């Protein structure tokens, strides 16, 4: 049975340029859909957060921004069904990522606040990328690569093809005008070969060797499905 390390932000807010804090956390679809796809594939899932803190749901992700009412209802029901797992994550510092077949980071604005500067996560990502074993990051989760460092001080993700939430998509959030930085800009500054789909808010997945990334919440199911297909073919 494949094992998945599901690394979720523990942030409850995103600090903006004017010092205000926008309430946030993880994006519902980005946790629920991949978790469901992996669970239905028979995979074992371990949820980890910085400090083992129970992650916070961004309520905006189950409002109008979360899709049609019946979709939001299904997502909320699924999150309720795994509430025990979400409420009792393990501490990220206690896990050995080499014991997992896949390391998966869902997004939401939370990673912009904590994982982007978390040294434990940064070291984990550096090791995982170098190992050649599957690593996936979704939507805002690539913010976590900003904490990764090679021995020479460079970013190990430089030169890799990746996607993540685009500036165009971020600016659809009215509060983004107060952001200290935007994800696409920082990924490019880190040396990533950033790619995005031609149409905003449509599924877009980029695969570069062992590195899998999804652009936005709408990419959650497509990214998870691609991972199941890839790992299943490896074990066949």
């Amino acid at each position: 049975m494949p094992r998945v390390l599901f690394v979720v932000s523990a942030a409850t807010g995103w600090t903006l340029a004017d010092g205000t804090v926008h309430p946030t956390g993880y994006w519902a679809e980005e946790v629920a859909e991949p978790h469901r796809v992996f669970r239905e594939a028979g995979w074992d899932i371990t949820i980890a957060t910085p400090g083992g803190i129970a992650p916070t749901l961004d309520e905006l992700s189950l409002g109008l921004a979360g899709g049609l009412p019946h979709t939001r209802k299904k997502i909320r029901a699924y999150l309720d069904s795994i509430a025990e797992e979400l409420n009792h994550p393990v501490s990220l510092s206690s896990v050995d990522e080499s014991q997992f077949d896949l390391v998966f980071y869902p997004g939401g604005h939370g990673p912009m606040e904590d994982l982007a500067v978390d040294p434990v996560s940064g070291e984990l990502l550096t090791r995982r990328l170098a190992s050649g074993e599957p690593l996936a990051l979704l939507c805002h989760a690539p913010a976590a690569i900003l904490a990764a460092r090679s021995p020479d001080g460079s970013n190990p993700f430089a030169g890799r093809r990746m996607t993540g939430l685009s500036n165009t998509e971020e600016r659809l959030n009215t509060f983004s005008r107060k952001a200290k930085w935007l994800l696409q800009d920082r990924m490019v500054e880190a040396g990533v070969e950033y790619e995005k789909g031609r149409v905003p808010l449509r599924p877009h997945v980029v695969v570069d060797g062992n590195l899998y990334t999804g652009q936005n919440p709408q990419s959650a199911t497509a990214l998870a499905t691609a991972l199941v297909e890839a790992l299943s073919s490896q074990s066949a």
Side-chain angles (χ1 to χ4, degrees):
M1 176 188 298
R3 301 184 65 206
V4 184
L5 178 61
F6 217 84
V7 183
V8 185
S9 167
T12 60
W14 181 28
T15 305
L16 303 175
D18 63 0
T20 61
V21 178
H22 175 74
T24 191
Y26 67 84
W27 198 258
E29 183 176 6
E30 296 178 36
V31 168
E33 273 298 287
H35 193 288
R36 179 189 63 79
V37 171
F38 299 153
R39 180 60 52 82
E40 290 181 357
W43 293 5
D44 180 71
I45 302 168
T46 297
I47 296 175
T49 66
I53 299 168
T56 298
L57 168 68
D58 186 336
E59 290 294 340
L60 284 180
S61 64
L62 288 176
L64 293 178
L68 296 172
H70 72 276
T71 299
R72 302 197 305 265
K73 184 177 180 180
K74 286 174 59 178
I75 291 172
R76 186 178 286 279
Y78 189 81
L79 291 174
D80 288 344
S81 77
I82 61 169
E84 186 68 16
E85 292 177 60
L86 287 169
N87 290 335
H88 298 91
V90 301
S91 175
L92 189 58
S93 63
S94 71
V95 299
D96 177 358
E97 80 285 347
S98 69
Q99 300 302 306
F100 293 85
D101 300 283
L102 169 66
V103 174
F104 182 88
Y105 280 60
H109 283 104
M112 305 274 279
E113 184 77 9
D114 62 354
L115 295 176
V117 295
D118 188 298
V120 172
S121 174
E123 291 171 7
L124 184 156
L125 288 170
T126 301
R127 293 192 301 267
R128 188 68 179 191
L129 187 67
S131 75
E133 296 299 318
L135 168 64
L137 304 103
L138 176 60
C139 196
H140 283 99
I145 72 168
L146 302 177
R149 289 289 179 274
S150 297
D152 65 0
S154 64
N155 192 298
F157 290 84
R160 301 299 294 264
R161 294 173 47 245
M162 298 181 68
T163 190
L165 196 79
S166 68
N167 287 354
T168 299
E169 291 166 319
E170 187 69 88
R171 290 185 177 118
L172 295 175
N173 298 311
T174 57
F175 52 84
S176 69
R177 68 182 184 277
K178 298 180 181 180
K180 293 179 180 178
W181 48 272
L182 300 182
L183 178 60
Q184 178 182 336
D185 293 339
R186 283 294 176 91
M187 292 176 72
V188 171
E189 290 169 9
V192 166
E193 293 187 14
Y194 177 84
E195 300 180 11
K196 63 179 179 180
R198 291 191 297 175
V199 181
L201 303 180
R202 297 295 296 165
H204 184 66
V205 173
V206 173
V207 181
D208 182 2
N210 67 317
L211 180 60
Y212 296 72
T213 48
Q215 181 174 325
N216 44 37
Q218 293 77 13
S219 304
T221 305
L223 177 60
T225 300
L227 289 161
V228 169
E229 291 174 350
L231 270 68
S232 296
S233 65
Q234 290 176 13
S235 60

